Amino acid sequence: MLADEVAQQLLQKTPGLSACLGDEADIDERSLRHSLETVLLDVLSSRQPGAPDTGEPVCQSGLEAPHQDGLQPSGTTAGEEQATPPDQTRQALFHALADARATPPQSLPDLAEAAGWPLPPVVRGVVMATPGETQQVAALLGDSLTGMFAGRPCLLVPSHVEDARARLELPMGGRLAAVGHEVPLKDTPSSLRWAHRLLALTPDRGVETRPVFVEDHFSSLLLLQDEPLTQALAAHWLRPLGDLTSRQSERLEATLLAWFEGGGAPEAAKSLSVHPQTIRYRMRQLEKLFGPQLRDPRIRFELELILRSRRLMAQARIVQARMAYVRQGRRRSRAFTANPAPDTAEAIARVNGL
């Protein structure tokens, strides 16, 4: 039979497999096929992408390689399970670092040694916009740790060198990704969490796609942290604008924020593309509405904080609406191309010269 011939060829030309089988010459075809399938599945599931092939026979799932003097491997006894595969160990290490509530099965140094990933003093979390690119970037970086965080594949990258940022920008060129801030190991979840948040607020700019760094957006992320609280503060401090129309209120809010940011009428006018006299007129309106509050430093600070937050939130809503529109368009495009109507299919064929 063909199966017998294949089995014989494997036994004769694959020394590693012969070593795994030992003297079990009476093994039947079904058992041999089952063992081969099991070994292949174990190898494919346990070997890390890009890991070097040591040339040693891989014997798992009940097929054990012979040991000198008939002894079991060091540290194990007959009937005990074999060592955890490296990828599972690395996943356990990532989980222990990314979840502050996790209790690792062993100390972090021991887990890192077993995973072959030396613990760096500081790390950065990286989240790719396209999850399928995570392993590609990991292979380019070489010393990263991959795992799941908040339902997405992520990277942990050592960040103990001065040019860490430049080192990340090159392999991620042309890819949209968010890079968390540099943190000690105990704060790893914070770096990953803020990278996730920044990615959700960042649109894909096509040809200008590049990684974004949390450290460039600290103040924006802080202001966007709690929208209900911002709305409550706005309802309290912007109450003098409550009797105006929405258009009037928006115009005066923009004027007041430009005044705070620019420091005077000429700068605010340039920012809003209006005449300085228009800014002075609107500021007189604001002084009538707010009274002496605009001269109180603490109130001025809180008003600027609220106005900046409201502007950022409006921009974030626009970005998220655009991203949702793009995703919806892609889904419709896939549905259209997957199941075109007969007339549509004929039209497509004509356009393509068929």
Side-chain angles (χ1 to χ4, degrees), residues 10 16 33 53 57 89 144 181 186 213 243 271 290 294 303 339:
L10 287 172
R33 184 169 59 252
D53 189 352
T89 307
S144 60
H181 54 304
K186 64 182 181 63
F213 288 77
D243 294 333
S271 173
F290 284 91
L294 290 183
L303 280 172
N339 298 293

Side-chain angles (χ1 to χ4, degrees), residues 86 89-90 93 108-119 142-145:
T89 307
R90 293 172 74 89
L93 177 60
L108 281 179
D110 292 342
L111 196 57
E113 182 178 0
W117 196 74
L119 291 175
D143 59 350
S144 60
L145 190 67

Side-chain angles (χ1 to χ4, degrees), residues 103-320:
T103 303
Q106 55 196 111
S107 67
L108 281 179
D110 292 342
L111 196 57
E113 182 178 0
W117 196 74
L119 291 175
V122 290
V123 294
R124 291 176 183 265
V126 180
V127 186
M128 306 298 300
T130 304
E133 294 180 338
T134 303
Q135 291 296 339
Q136 299 174 17
V137 174
L140 291 172
L141 293 174
D143 59 350
S144 60
L145 190 67
T146 61
M148 298 295 294
F149 182 86
R152 293 179 68 97
C154 302
L155 298 162
L156 288 180
V157 182
S159 185
H160 56 277
V161 293
E162 293 182 0
D163 61 342
R165 177 162 176 162
R167 177 176 163 272
L168 289 172
E169 287 177 334
L170 181 61
M172 288 193 289
R175 296 180 173 94
L176 178 59
V179 182
H181 54 304
E182 186 177 276
V183 294
L185 286 175
K186 64 182 181 63
D187 294 329
T188 297
S190 175
S191 185
L192 288 166
R193 182 171 62 253
W194 287 114
H196 267 270
R197 178 62 170 151
L198 179 58
L199 184 62
L201 298 170
T202 304
D204 189 345
R205 297 183 178 86
V207 295
E208 299 180 4
T209 297
R210 61 185 183 275
V212 290
F213 288 77
V214 165
E215 58 203 25
D216 295 336
H217 303 274
F218 276 139
S219 59
S220 297
L221 290 168
L222 181 63
L223 293 175
L224 289 169
Q225 186 173 3
D226 195 328
E227 185 169 355
L229 180 60
T230 300
Q231 292 173 346
L233 285 170
H236 176 72
W237 289 115
L238 299 180
R239 192 175 298 150
L241 305 179
D243 294 333
L244 305 178
T245 66
S246 59
R247 182 177 178 80
Q248 290 173 328
S249 177
E250 290 172 5
R251 187 167 54 233
L252 289 181
E253 284 186 35
T255 301
L256 186 56
L257 181 56
W259 178 277
F260 287 148
E261 292 178 333
E267 294 81 5
K270 185 177 180 180
S271 173
L272 298 178
S273 300
V274 297
H275 195 278
Q277 192 61 31
T278 301
I279 298 296
R280 295 188 182 97
Y281 170 74
R282 293 178 184 174
M283 286 305 301
R284 286 195 293 271
Q285 288 182 294
L286 287 165
E287 288 172 356
K288 289 180 180 179
L289 291 168
F290 284 91
Q293 289 182 329
L294 290 183
R295 294 189 290 272
D296 186 313
R298 184 181 69 85
I299 296 177
R300 286 168 62 101
F301 170 75
E302 293 202 12
L303 280 172
E304 183 176 359
L305 195 68
I306 293 163
L307 294 173
R308 283 177 177 264
S309 297
R310 284 165 65 85
R311 181 175 63 187
L312 285 169
M313 288 174 183
Q315 293 171 351
R317 283 192 290 269
I318 293 173
V319 168
Q320 291 171 348

Side-chain angles (χ1 to χ4, degrees), residues 344-354:
T344 305
E346 293 177 5
I348 294 173
R350 287 196 297 272
V351 169
N352 287 279
L354 300 177

Side-chain angles (χ1 to χ4, degrees), residues 35-95:
S35 299
L36 290 174
E37 291 173 353
T38 304
V39 169
L40 289 173
L41 287 173
D42 286 346
V43 171
L44 292 174
S45 64
S46 64
R47 181 167 294 170
Q48 285 291 315
D53 189 352
T54 61
E56 296 293 332
V58 182
C59 302
Q60 300 183 32
S61 303
L63 297 177
E64 300 181 358
H67 302 285
Q68 293 183 357
D69 302 326
L71 299 177
Q72 295 292 328
S74 175
T76 64
T77 60
E80 286 186 342
E81 293 184 358
Q82 295 184 355
T84 305
D87 65 329
Q88 294 184 18
T89 307
R90 293 172 74 89
Q91 290 173 11
L93 177 60
F94 182 96
H95 182 63

